[in-house]
Amino acid sequence: MVSTSPLSASIADSRQYLPPANPEGTLSPNQQLLPLTATTTPDDHLSVGGCDVVDLVERFGTPLYILDDHTLRTACRQYRQGFERYYPGEALVIYASKAWNCLAVCAIVTDEGLGIDVVSAGELLTATGAGADCDRIYFHGNNKSFEELTLAVEVGCRVVVDNWLELKTLGELATREGKTVPILLRVTPGIECHTHEYIRTGHLDSKFGFDPDQIESVFEFLASQPQLQCLGVHAHIGSQIFELNPHTDLGAVMAQWVVTAQRYGLTLTELDVGGGLGIRYTEGDDPPSIDTWVKTVCESVIAACAAHDIPLPKLLCEPGRSLIGSACVTAYRVGSQKVIPGLRTYAAIDGGMSDNPRPITYQSVYRALVANRMTAPLAETVTLAGKHCESGDILIKDAALPELKSGDVVTIAGTGAYNYSMASNYNRVPRPAAVLVADGDATLIIRRETVADLLRQDCLPETIRPKAKST
Ligand code: LLP
């Protein structure tokens, strides 16, 4: 696989963010700022999936999530091909749909042969609604409700059990329904990694999963619960990780759990190593390729199984961000500007923290380009502000951009993961539409929300309805 290509230092315009020529088709999507199909049109516009972004926003409005089918499918295939190349046993790539759960995305990853990780009844029903196979759906979460567990048993998906309450509830539910429920156990691996503290989950002080000290009592309990079929163990270290070491270490930790389970008469056949591979949001980000990550995971598990003389398990991983993050851009229109001489220029776009809460939540840094003037020189340092009533609603501080005019189509790269899925209606702003682009065609995959959609959920009891004023 080709490693990261540096952004072109010689081009001082938006074209520097485009992916390099890729005749071999080997670029790893997570190492690119823009979707693999991104290019410029003869009109000097950004094009994604063969569609002119300026045309798209005229047709579908702004803000607009533009999802590139080719980039998403390429990432799916690179994960699958990696396991075919490096793992002699059975493997399954599961899409962590919390990154972006909607019918179209679930349908595409299913079509590419992936399973789906869900964390709520909403995500589960979206996955099944998109045609995902229930025995390839893995239900996660640290506080699944009784209704959610009942639904999981009903549809027959796998449940990744997080804690004692869930384990006991599920045992009772399985007995009541007369079903055998396939489960995995989520265990905190005690592995540190360097990422934002909110998205670190593998260290011991985490709300997720059984503490490793409890694992023997869990296995002992499971030995008496034949209605719970414990297939294996799961661990997730964290998200937006660029290091490979945590996953080198994880295989050894997890293989040890398999050995411990044997002492309780349990044969674990599935190991799920979670997700976490990072993506490139700026030129300073240098994540490993999908291929390298998969190779590391496979080698770690193969070596650990050899060391313990246990058979190779079915190996699962559950990437979210690195599958879909780089496949999407968000297009906005520029509106008002405020120039504070000698201090800063603010340019406001028609979205912000409601469609991309990552900068305000994690101080995430993004790159923007002007989709209607790709070769305009990057002449200004501008702070791209959102439209929300909150000073912190800044999408990019000090972005290098051409001189902006109202109406320009500013496009932010790398918005496929945890943008739509974390979007809100702050300030009663309806959530944007999303289109899927492929081979020059654009298809609506999420309708733009309207204020009427929001008002539909409101109730105004007669008792508090203001009386019409008598004149
Ligand atoms: N598996 C489990 C159990 C997870 O908790 C997660 C992410 C994943 C897989 C997928 O991780 P990924 O491959 O996407 O790194 N909202 C945050 C990210 C939260 C990640 C939550 N768990 C953000 O915007 O950065």
Side-chain angles (χ1 to χ4, degrees), residues 7 27 90 101 138 178 202 248 252 284 290 302 336 386 401 425 440 466-467:
L7 291 181
L27 291 179
E90 207 186 333
N101 183 287
Y138 289 71
T248 308
I290 291 174
I302 292 168
S336 61
L401 286 166
N425 295 120
K467 308 275 176 293

Side-chain angles (χ1 to χ4, degrees), residues 96 98 186 199 236 239 276 318-321 358 362 418 422:
K98 69 207 79 182
R186 178 165 186 172
I199 52 179
H236 174 71
S239 198
E318 44 193 33
R321 190 191 314 267
R358 299 195 69 260
Y362 315 111
Y418 306 109
M422 291 173 67

